[in-house]
Each structure stands twice: as C-alpha cells, then as structure tokens.
Amino acid sequence: MRTDAELILDPDTYTSGVPHDALTRLREKNVVRVADFWAVLRHEDVRTVLRSPSVFSSHRGATQIRDPRPSDLAYVQRMMLNQDPPGHTRLRRMLTQAFTPRAVALLESRIRDNARAIVSALTGDFAADVADLPLLTLADIFGVPRQDRALLYDWSNRVIGHEDPEYALSSSSTAGMTDMALQALELRPDDGRDPRARDGMPDLYAYAHALGDHKRSHPADDVVSNLMREDLSLEEFENLFWLFSVAGNETLRNGIPGGLIALLSHPDEYERLRADRSLLPLAVEEMLRWWTPVMHFRRTCVRDTSLSGTEIRAGDKVVVWFSSANRDERVFTDPHRFDVGRREADHLSFGHGPHFCLGAQLARTQLRAIFDAVLDLPRPLELDGEVSRLRSNFQNGVKHLPVR
C-alpha cells in the first residue's frame, strides 16, 4: 500500500486521473511533508506563498520539484518563470504589450475563425485536433511562421512529457517547414536526454537565434521582433523563447480537452450549457478549476518562517499544489462537483501574485472560442473510446480524447 504522499508524487498515478481523494486527505493535514519538500495544499496557504516572493523564492532553486543540475542552475535562473522581483518585473514588462486587453481583442476574430475551422473538421481525436488552436495563436503572437508551428508542439511534448514514452521523442512531420526550421532540426537529439537541461534542446535554441536574426532584418508586430529591440542577454532571450514555446502552448492544449472531459463526465451540465449559452464564461472558469492543467509549482524558502502553524526553514523546498487548492472545501461549495453556473471563480489555475499568468485572458478567449464552436454542433459530442492521459505529476495532460 502506498501512502497518499507517494500517490501524489508518482507520475504513474496520473495516467488514470488526478488522485483527488488523496489530496483531500492530505489537505486536512494542512502543510505536509512529501519526499524532500513541503506540500502546500490549501487555497489560502497557496495564495500566501505565491504572493510572498521575498519569503518563498522562485529564483533560489527554480520552480520545479526536482533540483536543476548544479551546472544548469545559473542558466535556468535567467528564465522569467524562475525570477523574483525586480528581475522578474523587468522581463515581464517586455512582454505585456502582446497581452493587453486591446491586443487580445484584435486577435479574437482570428481565434474564433481558427476554432470553428478546427471543430468543423474534427477527426475523432479531440485532444489532437484542438492542440492546433494554441499553436496557431502562439505562432501569430510570437512571430513564428505558421508552417513551423509543429516545432512548438514537439518542444512542449518533450518538456512536459519527458516521463511519458509517447511524448519524450516527439517528432512531427517537417513538410513545408522553413529552411531555418529544417536547419535547426538537424540538431534535434534522438537519445531521450532531459529537455529541461541546457543541452537538452539544441534545436530550440538554434531556431530561436535564427528567428531572432530574421526579425532584426524583417521586424514585424510580434513578440520576437519586440525582444530584438530590448536590452536582453543571450541567456534571457533563450529562456524567454523556451518559456513561450512550452508554457504558451501546453497549458491551454490540455485545458481544452480537460474542459470537454468535464462536460462529457457531467451530461446534465453539458445540456444545461447547450440550453443557456450565456453560462459559457462561467463554464470556462469552472473547467479551469475542475481540470487544473498545471498541478503544482515549487518555491524555495529564503528565511525561517511559519505557514499555518508549520515551521519552515530557510532552504526548504515548498511546493504549492493547485489541483488541491482548486478543490478546497473552505473556498468552493461541493468542490468535486462540476457546475457550469458556479460563481465561486477564485480558482488558482493561472497562479496568483507577481507570477499570475500573463496570457490568462488570451487563454480564456481561446477556451470560449472552442466551446462556442462545440456548442454550435447539431448534437452533443460523445466519448468514443478510452481517454489517454499523460504520465506526468506536473501537467494534467490529455494525449488522446476519442469522440464522435
């Protein structure tokens, strides 16, 4: 028999679903010791950690449970995700222009068109089909040629799915890709090396530099062109490109099929939403809460402190568990129930504090666009086989979702 702590840490657990029963039991114990870290499981405690970077640092040991290799730490600390203010604030400022409400509104019509085209041409694997929506959106915002967007798909597979044999060596068709993509792909490793290490994704870094050089000569209204005008170090640029390529794609790619799984698992709520389209904005927030695409992030305590009565020492790892916080009975009524009309919208799927997701509004826009198109179908979608989940304790991933 495995303990609850062992269950929530084991990536094999998640191939059959998030262990919410175990998380509920652990949540009653409050802050608990799991392996070599403190697991923070209650909603308010998670918020406290995330809004207190001077105590719980993203920079000290980066933001993954596993410590980076000593030779990689200084490099990954240059990533915006792994910085604290003021360094984090400086890098975030360079990107905000692409995610203002006005910028997202200008993209909305194109996103709706892409979503409707995807839903009208469903092949039977919803997860595979809808993965193209965030890729198309990200390519447009980032300045990646659309014909190269499969690179983003493979990179995110390799990073998020490094513990899943199906994703670890992801390699899409190269048909129609640009010359700079094909040249970068000559460096792609085929030995399953860790893609989170500095030497794990040479093709990504080669492509980043080629695209940056192209944008210096041919600037446009996109993120990479804007970054070429900023005072960025080599390491900062590479890390921003890595972060955009993976985080800008993967969360939404799993959040969309997760939302459909919620509807398919609750047919009465599916029908309720079909009957009352005005509930869609609330339903999208409930999908994000109920599914919770990113399940946890790590911080490192920088000075002795206490959290809800638990003494935490300087240097201790602290991992906030969003999958637990989003089902906290202290915040959400009947938290395991999926309710498309739920108005308790204080979920933490986009984080909290200085690292609140920069692309949250863009993600919501894409979720609404896809499910608006799904609701326009003449009949409800139905499950047509077994759902295949990602082997990962980090990303609540859906590899295949067969529907008819």
Side-chain angles (χ1 to χ4, degrees):
M1 294 291 291
R2 292 185 296 170
T3 67
D4 288 335
E6 290 170 335
L7 276 172
I8 70 167
L9 193 56
D10 184 353
D12 284 327
T13 299
Y14 296 85
T15 61
S16 56
V18 178
H20 283 295
D21 289 347
L23 287 169
T24 297
R25 290 188 293 268
L26 290 171
R27 194 162 53 245
E28 287 309 305
K29 299 176 182 178
N30 205 359
V31 179
V32 298
R33 193 72 181 177
V34 176
D36 65 343
F37 62 88
W38 294 104
V40 180
L41 300 155
R42 293 184 184 177
H43 189 279
E44 185 52 39
D45 289 336
V46 170
R47 285 168 52 97
T48 296
V49 170
L50 294 179
R51 67 171 177 252
S52 309
S54 62
V55 180
F56 301 102
S57 170
S58 299
H59 183 73
R60 179 68 62 89
T63 50
Q64 297 298 301
I65 290 178
R66 194 194 65 178
D67 293 326
R69 296 184 314 201
S71 58
D72 288 327
L73 179 58
Y75 180 81
V76 300
Q77 284 176 323
R78 304 300 294 272
M79 185 182 294
M80 185 175 72
L81 183 68
N82 299 328
Q83 293 209 1
D84 301 320
H88 169 264
T89 309
R90 168 181 161 267
L91 291 173
R92 189 178 175 100
R93 175 192 56 77
M94 298 178 187
L95 303 171
T96 52
Q97 178 181 337
F99 298 99
T100 62
R102 179 178 178 275
V104 173
L106 291 173
L107 290 167
E108 192 164 356
S109 176
R110 196 182 315 167
I111 289 170
R112 282 201 306 268
D113 290 345
N114 290 337
R116 292 192 176 281
I118 288 168
V119 171
S120 68
L122 288 176
T123 66
D125 186 344
F126 188 81
D129 291 336
V130 300
D132 205 32
L133 181 62
L135 292 174
L136 288 165
T137 304
L138 183 60
D140 291 345
I141 291 174
F142 210 22
V144 171
R146 282 191 165 199
Q147 62 266 39
D148 293 346
R149 65 186 185 276
L151 291 174
L152 307 175
Y153 179 81
D154 289 338
W155 292 332
S156 60
N157 276 359
R158 286 157 56 196
V159 171
I160 300 301
H162 71 281
E163 295 180 305
D164 189 302
E166 185 177 343
Y167 275 14
L169 298 174
S170 180
S171 183
S172 297
S173 169
T174 61
M177 285 188 179
T178 64
D179 287 342
M180 63 181 172
L182 296 175
Q183 290 167 12
L185 283 172
E186 293 179 3
L187 302 175
R188 171 177 283 174
D190 59 3
D191 55 4
R193 70 184 71 170
D194 189 342
R196 298 166 300 171
R198 174 65 186 90
D199 60 354
M201 300 186 76
D203 48 325
L204 180 148
Y205 297 116
Y207 187 84
H209 290 298
L211 183 62
D213 290 343
H214 176 74
K215 294 297 182 180
R216 285 192 187 95
S217 304
H218 305 86
D221 185 18
D222 57 59
V223 167
V224 174
S225 295
N226 292 340
L227 289 178
M228 293 302 97
R229 305 182 188 105
E230 297 284 357
D231 181 20
L232 275 174
S233 71
L234 174 71
E235 293 84 358
E236 287 171 337
F237 172 65
E238 288 182 346
N239 273 301
L240 280 172
F241 192 92
W242 189 102
L243 181 62
F244 251 87
S245 299
V246 176
N249 158 36
E250 192 66 23
T251 299
L252 188 63
R253 167 189 166 185
N254 290 309
I256 294 173
L260 183 61
I261 289 171
L263 292 175
L264 295 174
S265 304
H266 300 82
D268 290 347
E269 292 300 298
Y270 194 171
E271 286 301 326
R272 180 183 175 196
L273 185 58
R274 281 170 55 83
D276 185 357
R277 191 74 63 90
S278 70
L279 293 173
L280 183 56
L282 292 175
V284 162
E285 298 303 317
E286 178 71 340
M287 291 170 184
L288 288 163
R289 181 196 73 86
W290 191 85
W291 185 256
T292 309
V294 175
M295 293 186 283
H296 61 71
F297 264 121
R298 172 219 176 145
R299 300 292 187 262
T300 303
C301 189
V302 297
R303 59 177 171 83
D304 292 354
T305 189
S306 65
L307 186 64
S308 290
T310 299
E311 297 299 319
I312 299 174
R313 301 299 182 189
D316 285 357
K317 294 183 191 179
V318 175
V319 179
V320 293
W321 223 276
F322 301 119
S323 299
S324 173
N326 280 347
R327 301 280 184 111
D328 191 340
E329 303 83 356
R330 297 155 192 80
V331 176
F332 302 102
T333 305
D334 197 2
H336 299 295
R337 181 171 63 92
F338 178 74
D339 177 2
V340 296
R342 186 184 294 272
R343 295 186 179 275
E344 302 160 319
D346 195 21
H347 65 77
L348 296 172
S349 294
F350 292 125
H352 180 67
H355 282 274
F356 182 81
C357 178
L358 197 57
Q361 193 55 41
L362 185 63
R364 289 179 168 115
T365 298
Q366 293 178 85
L367 278 159
R368 287 196 295 267
I370 277 285
F371 284 101
D372 206 37
V374 166
L375 294 171
D376 277 344
L377 292 172
R379 290 178 300 280
L381 292 172
E382 297 177 355
L383 194 61
D384 192 30
E386 187 175 350
V387 177
S388 177
R389 296 172 179 264
L390 183 66
R391 182 181 184 270
S392 170
N393 67 12
F394 175 67
Q395 185 79 222
N396 191 9
V398 186
K399 296 191 294 184
H400 305 288
L401 175 55
V403 295
R404 61 172 179 263

